[in-house]
């Protein structure tokens, strides 16, 4: 039996995930005790790339951000631009 999947999800590199979290801590000036969750999801919105990254900062209330790129393609400038747009 052969199975074919039209779209496979890319798994994010652990080191790159750590780097992106570090950039988020720096850009938002967060206490390192505040957890951050990064999720890489398939984007279903029109004109959206196939994968997007959802960032959840576990404050009260939780802050959520989206970057329309997979984790592997995120750069520090993406984080700083996101912060400028939302704050």
């Amino acid at each position: 039996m052969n199975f074919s999947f039209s779209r496979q999800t890319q798994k994010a590199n652990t080191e790159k995930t750590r780097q992106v979290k570090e950039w988020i801590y720096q850009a938002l000036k967060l206490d390192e005790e505040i957890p951050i969750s990064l999720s890489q999801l398939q984007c279903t919105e029109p004109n959206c790339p196939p994968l997007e990254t959802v960032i959840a900062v576990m404050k009260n209330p939780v802050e959520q951000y989206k970057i329309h790129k997979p984790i592997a393609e995120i750069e520090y400038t993406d984080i700083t631009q996101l912060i400028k747009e939302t704050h």
Side-chain angles (χ1 to χ4, degrees), residues 37-55:
S37 170
L38 294 181
S39 301
Q40 191 169 257
L41 306 171
Q42 288 186 345
C43 185
T44 56
E45 298 171 18
N47 301 318
C48 184
L51 290 176
E52 70 179 354
T53 300
V54 178
I55 302 164

Side-chain angles (χ1 to χ4, degrees), residues 11 24 34 66:
K11 187 161 172 131
I24 295 165
I34 297 172
K66 290 183 182 179

